[in-house]
């Protein structure tokens, strides 16, 4: 099981990432702007960017891991992840990288081509 400390460590290891408190919770942003991850629910749940069209499939495949916060996530490209269901750092980093890619400006993606592409 991964922890909030793992989320913080791996999020801040990504290029341009910084932590900023917002709405009473830690958020992780790219170049000080767009949020790519957040912690909430007493550090047991992480929020990440996820296209709306991909969310239902992820939730159906792993409902113990992925979910939406009713009434809040409906209108945003956002998905919740139960940290207790994430297997290890490798899986956590894959989730964070996917979200980071969606939030990172083109200039940052160009500067880090090894991180910019989703694996096949």
């Amino acid at each position: 099981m991964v922890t909030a400390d793992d989320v913080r460590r791996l999020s801040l290891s990504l290029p341009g990432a910084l932590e900023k408190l917002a709405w009473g919770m830690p958020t992780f942003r790219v170049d000080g702007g767009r949020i790519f991850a957040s912690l909430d629910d007493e550090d047991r749940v992480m929020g990440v960017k996820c296209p709306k069209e991909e969310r239902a499939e992820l939730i159906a495949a792993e409902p113990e891991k992925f979910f939406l916060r009713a009434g809040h996530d409906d209108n945003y490209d956002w998905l919740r992840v139960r940290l207790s269901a994430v297997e290890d750092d490798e899986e956590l980093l894959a989730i964070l990288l996917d979200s980071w890619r969606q939030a990172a400006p083109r200039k940052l993606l160009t500067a880090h081509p090894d991180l910019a592409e989703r694996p096949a």
Side-chain angles (χ1 to χ4, degrees):
M1 177 178 99
V2 301
T3 67
D5 288 338
D6 297 322
V7 172
R8 182 171 282 108
R9 176 177 50 82
L10 291 175
S11 291
L12 294 175
S13 75
L14 297 172
L18 61 87
E19 182 175 348
K20 182 177 180 181
L21 195 63
W23 309 287
M25 64 183 170
T27 63
F28 301 93
R29 299 166 184 251
V30 178
D31 283 347
R34 296 180 67 186
I35 298 171
F36 69 91
S38 65
L39 288 166
D40 61 2
D41 291 347
E42 300 175 1
D43 291 345
R44 293 181 300 200
V45 173
M46 171 179 70
V48 292
K49 292 188 72 59
C50 181
K52 290 179 196 171
E53 58 274 5
E54 294 179 17
R55 298 184 312 188
E57 184 177 338
L58 288 168
I59 293 167
E62 297 183 86
E64 72 289 347
K65 186 178 299 176
F66 300 112
F67 70 100
L68 297 177
R69 193 168 81 190
H72 184 270
D73 297 333
D74 302 338
N75 298 317
Y76 301 99
D77 288 342
W78 204 247
L79 182 69
R80 306 294 166 151
V81 183
R82 290 179 186 90
L83 296 181
S84 62
V86 177
E87 291 186 28
D88 54 26
D89 275 5
E90 184 177 339
E91 182 181 23
L92 177 60
L93 182 57
I95 293 168
L96 288 168
L97 261 174
D98 192 50
S99 185
W100 178 87
R101 287 181 191 108
Q102 294 171 64
R106 183 172 303 161
K107 180 180 175 181
L108 193 57
L109 294 171
T110 301
H112 298 278
D114 55 320
L115 300 177
E117 295 296 321
R118 281 181 161 184

